[in-house]
Every structure is written in C-alpha cells, then in structure tokens.
Amino acid sequence: MRLVLILSALLGASLGLETFVGHQVLRIKTKNEEEVKQLQFLESLEHLELDFWINPSAPALPVDVRIPAVSVQSVKAFLESQGIEYSILIEDLQEVLDKEKQDMAESAQRERSTSFDFGSYHTLDDINAELDHLASEYSFVEKIQIGESYEKRPLYALKFSTGRSKRPAIWLDAGIHSREWVTQASALWIANQIASGYGTDSFITSLLDKMDLFLLPVANPDGFVYTHTSNRMWRKTRSKNAGSVCYGVDPNRNWDAGFGGPGASSRPCSESYHGPSANSEVEVKSVADFITNHGNFKAFLTLHSYSQLLMYPYGYKCTRPDDYAELESLGRAAANAIKSVYGTTFQVGPICTTIYQASGGSIDWAYDSGIKYSFAFELRDTGRYGFLLPANQIIPTATETWMGLKRIMEHV
Amino acid sequence: ELSPGRFPAGRAAAVAVAMLRYRRGGPARALRLRELRRARAQDIKDVGHKYYLELELEDVLDKNRTVNCTAEVLYHLGNKNIAPDVQFTLEGELKSTEEADHLFYTRIRSLEKELVAENIPDSHGHVPPELEPLHLLAWAASGYLVWQNSTENTQLQLAQIKHVKQVKRSDKYLQFDYVVLLHKMVSQEIIPWEMTVLWHPRDGVQVTRDSCQPGH
C-alpha cells in the first residue's frame, strides 16, 4: 500500500527539464535480486526521466542514476522505504557541469588569445566557433548548414571551393558515432590544414583548383553533446524510439544499403539498432539528400575509431565490389602513406571481411549511389585506450590520417 | 593459411594476447600486439577450430624492444560457454619490472586510507601518473575476462575503469575491486563488468571473482 502511495507521489513529480540544477546522481547498492527488480521497475517509469548511467542488472553491481531535481526527494523516499542503500555521488550536477564549463572556458580564453588548440578535445560550441573562425579567415572556406539534428542542432559543414561552378567534389565526415572523439578532433585539424595550405602547399592548391571539398566534422551533434554531458560511451543518435525506454539509432546502420540485413539489430536498446526505416534519422537523411542533390561527388570518406583499419565496400554483403582491385590497391597505398609518418599500421580490406558484416552503412550507400572512391577509416588505437584516446595523440593521429586521405584524393 | 588482416585470425590473436596480458602483465607491464606475422587455421573434426599464430609483441612501456611469440588458440565446438584453450611460447625475455612492482606494492601497502578512484582514463584519455599502475593492472586482469568470454564471433576490449576500490587484506596480496566497462567489438555494446583482482609482485595477477550484466 505504501508502495502505491509513494509511486503516486513520484508520478506527480514528473516534469520536463532543460538544465541540471538540483539534479543528483545517486549510487545505489543493491543487496539482492528483489532490490534489483525494484530499481528496474523504477527504470521503467519513463515520466520520471531517470537517466541510468549504470543500469540495474545484478545485485553485485552499483547502479548510478541521475535524478531530475523535482524527483530527488520522492526517489530517495522510495529507496528508503524499500530499505535500499544509496549514497550521493553528485550533490548538484549543474554545479559540476558549471565548474567543468568554467575550466573549459578558461582554457578556451587562453586559446582564443593565441589560437584553437587542435591538440585537445573540445565541446560542440567550441568546434562551431572554430568553424566560424576558419570561414571568416579564408575567403574560399564557407560554413554551410546541411540540415538539423533530431534535437534541432544545426549540422554544420565547411565547403572549400575556389571556383564558381559546381565542381566535382570530395566528401569527408567525422563523428557519426559520437564517442569516437579522435575523429571530430582530427577533422578540425584537417580543416585547418587544408584552409591554411591553399596557396602554399602544392597538393592542396592543385586539389582545390580542380575540386571542391565538403567536411562535416560533427555528423552526430546530439550524440556528441550527450558524450560531454551524460555518457562518454554514447554511440548512437538521440532520437526517441517509439515504445521503448531506449534512445537512439546507430546512424551507420541507417543508410539505404542492405538496410535491415545482417549486421544490424532490430532492437532499439542495441548499440547497432538500424532504426525503423532507412534514413529515419534526420542526421543521415540530411547528408544523403545533400549528396544526391549535389550530384557530382567523386569520393566519400568517413572517419571512425578505433581499430586502425582502412576499408572499402561492402559491409552489407561479403561479395566484392566491381572496383575491388582498384580500391584494394588504392587502400594499400593510403595505408602505406599513413605508416610512413609514425609507423602506425592500418589493415586494408572490404568491411565485411575486415571488421564484421554490417548493413546500412554509409560507404556502401555512397558506392551504390555511384561514388566509386568510398572509404571508411578506423583511426587509432587498437584497444589500449580505445575510445578514450589521450589528447596528446590527436595531432599525430590527424597528421597520419591526412597523409592517407591525401593519397586517395590524389587518385580521385 | 590465413590473411593476418582479416578477422578470424585477428580475433584469435586478440584472445592469445589477452591471455598473455593476464599471465605476464601487471602494474608495470602492459603487453600489446605489434604485428600478427602469420596465421593458420585448422578444423578439428568434432572438437573445434584451432588457430596457429606467430605474434610480435611489445611492452607499451618499453617500445624499443619486441618479443616474438607463438600461440595456439582452440575454440571449442558447440558450447559457447567454454573459454577457448590458449597455449603460448614466448621467445626471448620481457623487460624486468621488479623495481617498479616493488615500489607500487610498498606504496599501496603503506596507504592509510584504502585507495578509491574513478574513470580511468577520463573522458579526455588522461590518466594521472599515480593511477597508471592501476590502469595497467586492470588491463592485465581484463585479459582474463576477454579470454574467458571470447568466441570466434566476438572481440572484447577494456574500454574504461569506471570505479576501483582497494580492499586491504591481512595476507600478502593487494586486492582491488574494479567495475570496468568492456567494449564488445561486433555488437558495439559497452558492458559493465565487476572483477576482484589480487596481485603480488611474485605471484602476478589473479581474477578471483567476476560478474557482468545478464543477457550479454
């Protein structure tokens, strides 16, 4: 009976919130299966908007949960009434975030007075500011908006173009999987490299005199923000899945290439959930439409991490593409170029036999749309740090990756 | 004969290296695969798939030197709950870690309050120098989790230490209770996993207890 009363109180306390003022993060120590079940029940009450950083699963594991301010007292009352032990991990999440923001602002201040620090990881706001900076400093660099994310964040890309007509173009994106932080960071460095190299670097100059380049450094801004604010290991988009407590679709299983086939999950809670239909994710549809409407892309290059792989189609099927021989040899040349910088070795091959079968991937779509030079890079490392690559490896990674990209672009 | 770049061989190599890390690793030694030189697969009727591997390893703390290793990995047919059999032979010596091990051991033994730490590495990949031995110890211990839970269709890596707590003991061992995140490469899932790790300079690493989320 008491349970029903407390739960009604919780029901009454639900609200939509935009800041984390008064949000608390609790660490809950369950003693037995029964308590785990209680927490799982709590988890299912969607209107509470509880954000489980570590989900309730087994008695031995702590459960970390972020609780919106209005629900804090009721949730604690519920836990106490059930005799479930907890401790307060973070008293006020907004305070912690403000401090972090302050730290980053202070370091950004220092950066702005000198220049953008390409050797450290940045927030979305800082990245967007740097895109503005590059666009304002170089006449042939323009910041364009490709579309909007699910949470209505603009998808900003840089257009590098020294000509007026619609030239053949190269596409480069990063951060489609938000936790792969070295990719967004490398894309920024590469953008700066290209912008500052026109007129001085012979390769960049001859490239941009013939072709345009489009660079989307943060292909999944909602996920990226989420990795900063809530869960560093978030991979997918942040779209709401109808009928599920789980958010997000794997944007690299959502393209219209073998969609829904092997190598993607139909479960919304899965990290490789393909989504309800191809291009259901606005982040994917925006790019696909942009490229289709442009009609003159010659290369489609995408950055992921980690594993040190350089791959070409196909992922959705394990048969060779028609251009297998050329893509394999170009891939090998690019891998050699990467290796020449610091000795970093990349394995080369089609997705399906190099990493795993995966359907609905972006380079498969690009290739089947007629863009022959479609490659996916998996950058450093091979697992020692994985997604949490130390910032001091950003510039070396970007440098060697750029050599590989150059080799491909030379050939296009 | 298999291509070293393609995944059946790569996954078998990862399992072999994980086992090696567990058996030879510690707070001052972290072994990783420099290169998979050669790989051969054999289908053993009614038993399973066996991989013969030639590996080149390096100690991340001593990159100038590499050590060659031959390994055999047998994935058992049928029951996926049996860990693969791994045998290995190291050719040559690894750099001695006696001094660093001793330093770490005495440092931890002399702590008044039990050590507690979180998020190693942090979001930016940073590990405070004084916590690096705990990071390497977890990396070695996670080799056990990887080895025990690998199949031909999976590849596991340690993604992060979410939480580590030292537990003082009356015997000679150091004990650390870890909650780590494992990254499952094929499904891309991140799985919290708890492990109790014992270590002593002369006895090496032991995982005495481990548990993960059911359904993974």
Side-chain angles (χ1 to χ4, degrees), chain A residues 171 255 286-297 300 365 371:
Chain A
W171 174 267
W255 298 72
S286 304
V287 173
D289 287 350
F290 179 80
I291 289 176
T292 304
N293 293 337
H294 181 283
N296 205 11
F297 275 93
F300 182 95
W365 171 83
I371 302 174

Side-chain angles (χ1 to χ4, degrees), chain B residues 127-145:
Chain B
V127 179
E130 69 274 12
L131 293 180
E132 183 65 7
L134 275 160
H135 181 213
L136 297 181
L137 183 62
W139 208 40
S142 70
Y144 173 82
L145 302 181

Side-chain angles (χ1 to χ4, degrees), chain A residues 43-76:
Chain A
E43 192 181 7
S44 71
L45 301 176
E46 283 185 53
H47 58 272
L48 288 178
E49 298 191 4
L50 299 179
D51 178 16
F52 282 81
W53 290 5
I54 301 181
N55 298 75
S57 57
L61 295 169
V63 172
D64 288 357
V65 57
R66 176 178 63 80
I67 308 173
V70 285
S71 308
V72 169
Q73 290 317 315
S74 346
V75 171
K76 283 179 174 172

Side-chain angles (χ1 to χ4, degrees), chain A residues 60 179 232 271 306 356 384, chain B residues 123 125 132 183 188-189 194:
Chain A
R179 63 190 179 199
R232 176 63 179 81
E271 294 278 29
Y306 58 94
Y356 39 60
R384 173 154 184 227
Chain B
S123 284
E132 183 65 7
H183 172 220
Q188 291 295 337
E189 306 295 327
E194 194 190 58

